[in-house]
Structures are given as structure tokens and as C-alpha cells.
Amino acid sequence: MDELTILKVDETTWSSEAQAGELAFHKRPNFRSNEEGFRKGNSSFFTGLGYTPTDMVGKTVVDLGAGSKLRAKFFEGSKIVAIEPLGDKFIEEVAWCDLKDAEKVFSFPAEYRISEIEGTVDFLFSINVLDHCYDFETIIGNIHAYLKTGGTCCLSFDCHAKVDKLHPIIINEKVATQIFFDIGFRIDKFLRTPSYHKAIAEYSVTFFMTKV
């Protein structure tokens, strides 16, 4: 894998190009538009990572980069918080969107620090999101701030050596690991996992971490 990294790009370009593409994608029929298919696939995804539906009962779970469909519903009895820059538009324009079922929806980029949830989160996950953003290090700092001490996160993203409009940054796993350590995470487990976008990535990486 090429060691190239691009951890930050221009926010204005990202907003006008990448987000327009994301909105168009989510408005077209895709795996999220089939309710039963999405539910089954999402359940298989999380159980494959070692989670069970009752792991987060009574706990605050953040779905960072939620898209138009809440993966967090896998965790029964949890308080779901969604962070999604297109959240308001998805609710208004995507027929199968269920973000309104979250306790709170913050329609902000992951790079924006939400003071309201700092130090309140038990578990945060981000699935196939971080290489779609514009400032990786800022996001990781925000995640660390949101978690309680002892809180955990699962971050899973593609490792690729080229960019396109929807994937403007390149996150090398070695560089990411150092950033996680520097910010104050303990890495509990690391996996190389199947890529989310096979046309652009050979594999994804999944980090399971704790705020210490």
C-alpha cells in the first residue's frame, strides 16, 4: 500500500463537491432503501465485529457520519445520537431516512466540536466515513472529547492510495495509529477488514479503542 497520506483538504471544496455527491447517492435507491435488507446486513456487520444487541442498554451511543439510516439501532435500549452533516437534508429529502428516530441529530460535519455532548458518550462508532471527510485529526480530537473516560469507539474506514470527489483524504493505518496514541486512545484491537469501496480500496481498517 502506498504510504501517501492526505489528512486534510479544503473545507469549501469538500462542502460543495463531496457533500453534493453524498446527497445525490443517498437519494438514489441503495442498500439503505431496503429496510429488511439493511437491518439484516447491519446486524451481521456488528455481530461480525463481536458486538451483541444488548451491549449498550442504557448507554449513550453516537453514530458519527450516520448517513440516511441509523446503524445504531442495532444496539437495543441505547440512547442514540447521530452526527451527520447532511442530516437535515436527509430527513427532508430521503424517503427511507430514519434519523428522526435518534434522540438527537446534529447536522454538522464531524470536524465541528459539539460541546453539548463532550464527556457524555459511552460508545461511538464511525463506519465507512472518515475517508469521506476533510480533516482527520480534528475529528479524532472531537471523538476523544465526546467520550467519557473509559468510553470506547469503533472506527472503520477504507485505506486507499487515490482520491475522488467522495473520498478526498487518504488515511494510512500507520499514521492513523500514531494520531490515536498522541490524542490519548488505547488501541484494544485492530483488524484489516473488507473494503467498503472496492474500486478505490483493497481493504479497510477497523480500530477498537478506549479513552484512557
Side-chain angles (χ1 to χ4, degrees), residues 34-75:
N34 181 326
E35 177 67 34
E36 184 64 14
F38 177 83
R39 187 189 64 77
K40 289 181 177 179
N42 190 51
S43 178
S44 295
F45 176 83
F46 278 117
T47 55
L49 292 179
Y51 296 105
T52 70
T54 58
D55 285 343
M56 303 297 165
V57 174
K59 297 182 179 181
T60 297
V61 173
V62 169
D63 189 338
L64 186 143
S68 57
K69 203 84 168 169
L70 291 169
R71 285 184 177 273
K73 284 184 174 180
F74 171 80
F75 296 104

Side-chain angles (χ1 to χ4, degrees), residues 178-206:
Q178 188 60 55
I179 290 170
F180 296 149
F181 282 136
D182 289 345
I183 286 176
F185 281 108
R186 182 185 72 224
I187 298 175
D188 300 312
K189 185 168 66 171
F190 165 81
L191 299 172
R192 281 197 176 187
T193 37
S195 61
Y196 297 101
H197 301 280
K198 298 188 185 303
I200 198 171
E202 295 180 2
Y203 63 92
S204 65
V205 291
T206 302

Side-chain angles (χ1 to χ4, degrees), residues 60-61 70 78-82 99-106:
T60 297
V61 173
L70 291 169
S78 64
K79 175 185 174 182
I80 299 173
V81 176
L99 295 187
K100 64 182 182 300
D101 294 339
E103 179 128 348
K104 292 185 178 180
V105 178
F106 294 100

Side-chain angles (χ1 to χ4, degrees), residues 2-67:
D2 196 321
E3 292 298 310
L4 173 68
T5 57
I6 303 174
L7 299 180
K8 185 175 182 179
V9 296
D10 179 68
E11 178 184 356
T12 302
T13 302
W14 170 86
S15 181
S16 62
E17 294 184 358
Q19 291 296 275
E22 294 285 359
L23 179 60
F25 172 80
H26 280 265
K27 291 174 74 171
R28 296 191 298 267
N30 57 72
F31 78 98
R32 295 173 181 82
S33 54
N34 181 326
E35 177 67 34
E36 184 64 14
F38 177 83
R39 187 189 64 77
K40 289 181 177 179
N42 190 51
S43 178
S44 295
F45 176 83
F46 278 117
T47 55
L49 292 179
Y51 296 105
T52 70
T54 58
D55 285 343
M56 303 297 165
V57 174
K59 297 182 179 181
T60 297
V61 173
V62 169
D63 189 338
L64 186 143

